[in-house]
Amino acid sequence: GYHEVYNYSFLSEEDVRRFGLSPADHVTVANPISVDQALLRRTLIPGVWKNIRENSKHFDQFRLFEVGMEIHKRASGLPDEIPHLAAAIYQRTKEIGPFYEVKRLAECLMPGCELRPDTARMFEHPSRTAHVHWRGQTVGRLFEFHPDFVEGRAVVLDVDLARMEALAPV
């Protein structure tokens, strides 16, 4: 029931700052296609947020996901590329249903996982944010976007797929 989306791995400084991140922590592209796409993403969330905002203009509810690489700067050498899954459910109404649906998705992917409340980041709802713990480790986050970021409700599951795979039974 989810639609797959693909987003570029490039972000602008404005995109990065909108999510409370520092441009200095991102890998800078030497010859960007556009000045507005000079940084490599450290998270899939800005792209998924743009997908939600654009699709919410046309649909009252939808589900989407992206599997892609987060690109993390290292002190030397090539950056780390970490596979992530970002899945989201959006609905225009204010009912709380999507949070539990996304939680169920996390439980289907990682049976026995637990949600542990966490301090919200600037783009997350202050009381609807949690770490996803599985087999003794944090493997991701489940959160609802802050109302200032999305009209309606948008709940996101962000999972580090490399960590999840490492913890999976053989």
Side-chain angles (χ1 to χ4, degrees):
Y2 287 77
H3 296 276
E4 187 171 12
V5 296
Y6 297 97
N7 291 299
Y8 291 118
S9 295
F10 307 106
L11 297 170
S12 68
E13 284 190 21
E14 180 185 347
D15 291 335
V16 169
R17 286 191 177 101
R18 178 181 290 121
F19 287 87
L21 304 171
S22 169
D25 294 337
H26 290 70
V27 174
T28 302
V29 177
N31 294 309
I33 295 170
S34 166
V35 180
D36 288 342
Q37 296 181 338
L39 304 174
L40 293 176
R41 66 183 178 188
R42 289 180 48 94
T43 175
L44 303 181
I45 302 305
V48 169
W49 172 75
K50 285 180 180 181
N51 297 135
I52 291 168
R53 287 197 40 155
E54 188 59 35
N55 282 288
S56 68
K57 295 175 187 175
H58 309 288
F59 303 102
D60 290 337
Q61 59 185 6
F62 54 85
R63 297 167 185 234
L64 56 83
F65 77 96
E66 179 178 13
V67 175
M69 295 294 187
E70 289 187 354
I71 301 156
H72 294 258
K73 189 186 256 189
R74 286 205 262 166
S76 63
L78 295 174
D80 286 325
E81 294 185 42
I82 304 166
H84 267 249
L85 162 71
I89 296 179
Y90 169 82
Q91 70 182 29
R92 189 172 313 282
T93 63
K94 299 290 186 181
E95 298 165 10
I96 198 153
F99 191 89
Y100 296 108
E101 282 294 311
V102 177
K103 179 180 184 278
R104 187 173 69 87
L105 173 62
E107 291 167 344
C108 287
L109 292 171
M110 300 164 284
C113 70
E114 300 174 355
L115 296 183
R116 297 185 181 169
D118 193 22
T119 304
R121 297 172 184 160
M122 65 178 291
F123 57 90
E124 297 172 339
H125 191 286
S127 63
R128 297 185 189 122
T129 300
H131 275 117
V132 180
H133 285 266
W134 189 50
R135 300 194 170 164
Q137 291 192 32
T138 298
V139 294
R141 288 179 81 75
L142 192 151
F143 65 90
E144 182 175 320
F145 271 109
H146 192 282
D148 290 345
F149 273 74
V150 175
E151 186 176 324
R153 286 223 155 126
V155 181
V156 178
L157 173 65
D158 180 17
V159 177
D160 179 329
L161 294 175
R163 187 170 290 158
M164 187 178 103
E165 182 180 26
L167 296 172
V170 181

